[in-house]
């Protein structure tokens, strides 16, 4: 991760987090009074095509700000956060969640990214932590209420994937020292995944930007102590040293980057690289070598596609940042 690359990611995000249109809403209308104009309904996270992409655009900027404070783009990032993250605007975002029809709003993907943004601000000791806290608290409460009654995980390769949400939420629970929340997340992961063995890895599907197999492994890696994770992982993917299942190690092909759903596959390549690099730190040298080589191949395939058509550009840099700096954010090469 270089300063030049971080600066380019920052410029991409600065160019879309306040771009209101085109816009895809996650919004239920109960009557005429619920007509939707993005910046009026969501005064902070109205840009970037949709709410969740906007919030992880802010996360990307917060991470760039923390890891590369010397960049010229930091001034624009600081100005954006100062005008966007105000008590009144945060309260408007939080109050939206009180609408009865917003019960499943952005569940769980947007919830997790909201907490990932909050966690980045905490680690950076940002002056915006306290201002954003009511929104973070609201999403923690939603997770706490929802996870115990979700009997089955969602194993899709896109927004509804629950394992991905656990990974991001765990980072917030850890850096905010919320042990009760960590316990809820761990109990959910164990309930859903502890008995999984011999993953077939029938993926990717045509619209995936997450690997269901690797996201499950990453969630267990985040939430289990090393001595419990190692035997579980060895049973879950027993043939990794031989590069199997082969579908995990083959980068996805993207046929049309102007098609927002097909363009998801660039994100799959980046999120696989993130997961593989993260998992490689906790396995044998042989398996680590296989994972790191595959991660490098996936990165090479996708990294130059971050900028281009808006259907990918409004979100892919965030996944590139995850791939290059990991969940916690270090300047790895």
């Amino acid at each position: 991760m270089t300063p030049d690359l971080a600066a380019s990611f920052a410029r991409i995000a600065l160019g879309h987090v306040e771009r209101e249109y085109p816009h895809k809403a996650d919004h239920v209308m109960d009557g005429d009074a619920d007509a939707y104009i993005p910046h009026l309904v969501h005064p902070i996270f109205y840009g970037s095509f949709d709410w969740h992409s906007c919030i992880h655009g802010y996360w990307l900027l917060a991470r760039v700000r923390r890891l590369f404070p010397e960049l010229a783009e930091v001034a624009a990032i600081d100005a954006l956060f100062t005008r966007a993250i105000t008590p009144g605007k945060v309260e408007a975002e939080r109050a939206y969640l009180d609408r009865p029809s917003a019960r499943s709003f952005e569940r769980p993907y947007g919830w997790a990214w909201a907490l990932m943004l909050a966690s980045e601000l905490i680690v950076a000791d940002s002056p915006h932590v306290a201002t954003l806290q009511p929104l973070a608290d609201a999403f923690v409460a939603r997770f706490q209420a929802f996870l115990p009654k979700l009997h089955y995980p969602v194993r899709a390769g896109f927004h509804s994937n629950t394992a991905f949400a656990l990974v991001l939420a765990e980072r917030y629970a850890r850096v905010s020292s919320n042990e009760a929340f960590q316990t809820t997340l761990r109990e959910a992961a164990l309930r859903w995944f502890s008995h999984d063995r011999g993953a077939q890895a029938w993926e990717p599907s045509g619209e995936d930007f997450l690997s269901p197999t690797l996201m499950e492994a990453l969630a267990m890696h985040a939430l289990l102590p090393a001595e419990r994770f190692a035997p579980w992982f060895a049973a879950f993917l027993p043939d990794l040293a031989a590069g199997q299942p082969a579908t995990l190690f083959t980068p996805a092909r993207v046929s049309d980057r102007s098609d927002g759903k097909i363009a998801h596959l660039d994100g799959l390549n980046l999120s696989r690289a993130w997961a593989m690099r993260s998992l490689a730190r906790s396995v044998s040298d042989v398996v680590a070598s296989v994972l790191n080589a595959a991660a490098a191949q996936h990165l090479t395939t996708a990294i130059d596609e971050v900028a281009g058509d808006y259907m990918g550009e409004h979100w892919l840099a965030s996944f590139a940042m995850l791939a290059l700096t990991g969940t916690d954010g270090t300047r790895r090469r």
Side-chain angles (χ1 to χ4, degrees):
M1 189 67 198
T2 65
D4 286 347
L5 192 57
S8 72
F9 288 173
R11 289 192 296 271
I12 290 170
L14 288 166
H16 65 68
V17 294
E18 294 182 301
R19 176 176 171 176
E20 189 164 7
Y21 298 106
H23 186 89
K24 181 181 179 182
D26 180 0
H27 180 70
V28 177
M29 296 176 62
D30 294 315
D32 290 346
D34 293 328
Y36 185 92
I37 297 176
H39 75 273
L40 297 180
V41 177
H42 295 295
I44 306 175
F45 306 117
Y46 60 84
S48 307
F49 190 71
D50 48 41
W51 192 91
H52 54 256
S53 297
C54 193
I55 206 163
H56 63 69
Y58 274 84
W59 166 81
L60 168 65
L61 292 168
R63 177 154 292 185
V64 169
R65 170 75 175 83
R66 177 170 67 84
L67 295 183
F68 298 92
E70 72 281 3
L71 293 180
E73 289 74 14
V74 164
I77 294 171
D78 288 347
L80 169 70
F81 276 63
T82 296
R83 67 176 174 268
I85 303 179
T86 66
K89 291 180 179 180
V90 170
E91 173 54 22
E93 294 280 1
R94 190 217 59 78
Y96 182 83
L97 304 178
D98 292 338
R99 300 175 72 249
S101 297
R103 182 179 184 183
S104 62
F105 170 74
E106 291 287 353
R107 185 177 75 193
Y109 184 77
W111 299 8
W113 273 115
L115 295 183
M116 193 66 163
L117 170 60
S119 73
E120 195 64 28
L121 296 178
I122 290 170
V123 172
D125 195 23
S126 167
H128 304 292
V129 171
T131 307
L132 195 67
Q133 194 62 49
L135 190 62
D137 290 343
F139 284 117
V140 169
R142 289 197 161 204
F143 269 116
Q144 293 275 38
F146 176 64
L147 293 182
K149 63 186 179 184
L150 186 66
H151 290 301
Y152 313 104
V154 180
R155 300 176 185 267
F158 35 86
H159 307 87
S160 52
N161 184 283
T162 37
F164 175 82
L166 292 183
V167 176
L168 302 196
E170 185 278 336
R171 200 229 181 186
Y172 175 81
R174 178 161 36 89
V175 304
S176 65
S177 301
N178 190 331
E179 294 182 6
F181 189 31
Q182 280 187 302
T183 297
T184 298
L185 299 171
R186 185 177 301 110
E187 289 174 349
L190 289 171
R191 186 171 70 250
W192 295 331
F193 305 134
S194 62
H195 300 296
D196 287 357
R197 300 290 185 271
Q200 299 277 335
W202 285 329
E203 55 179 87
S205 295
E207 299 179 356
D208 284 356
F209 63 88
L210 300 169
S211 160
T213 305
L214 292 176
M215 287 305 107
E216 177 176 338
L218 197 56
M220 294 295 269
H221 180 257
L223 288 159
L224 293 183
E227 64 273 13
R228 294 188 66 183
F229 173 73
W232 176 87
F233 187 58
F236 180 62
L237 287 168
D239 300 315
L240 281 185
Q244 297 294 326
T247 53
L248 283 182
F249 296 95
T250 305
R253 292 189 301 111
V254 184
S255 61
D256 182 357
R257 291 188 168 85
S258 68
D259 184 307
K261 294 298 182 68
I262 294 176
H264 276 181
L265 293 165
D266 280 321
L268 174 66
N269 289 331
L270 293 168
S271 66
R272 277 182 173 181
W274 163 50
M276 289 171 178
R277 296 182 83 194
S278 300
L279 294 166
R281 300 198 299 272
S282 301
V283 296
S284 69
D285 290 345
V286 173
V287 173
S289 178
V290 170
L291 289 173
N292 281 323
Q297 186 180 10
H298 279 74
L299 267 173
T300 298
T301 300
I303 196 66
D304 290 335
E305 307 302 336
V306 168
D309 194 282
Y310 191 59
M311 286 297 96
E313 191 171 87
H314 75 270
W315 65 279
L316 280 171
S318 297
F319 279 76
M321 179 62 79
L322 276 177
L324 291 168
T325 66
T327 308
D328 286 329
T330 57
R331 291 171 68 161
R332 294 188 294 173
R333 293 188 180 274

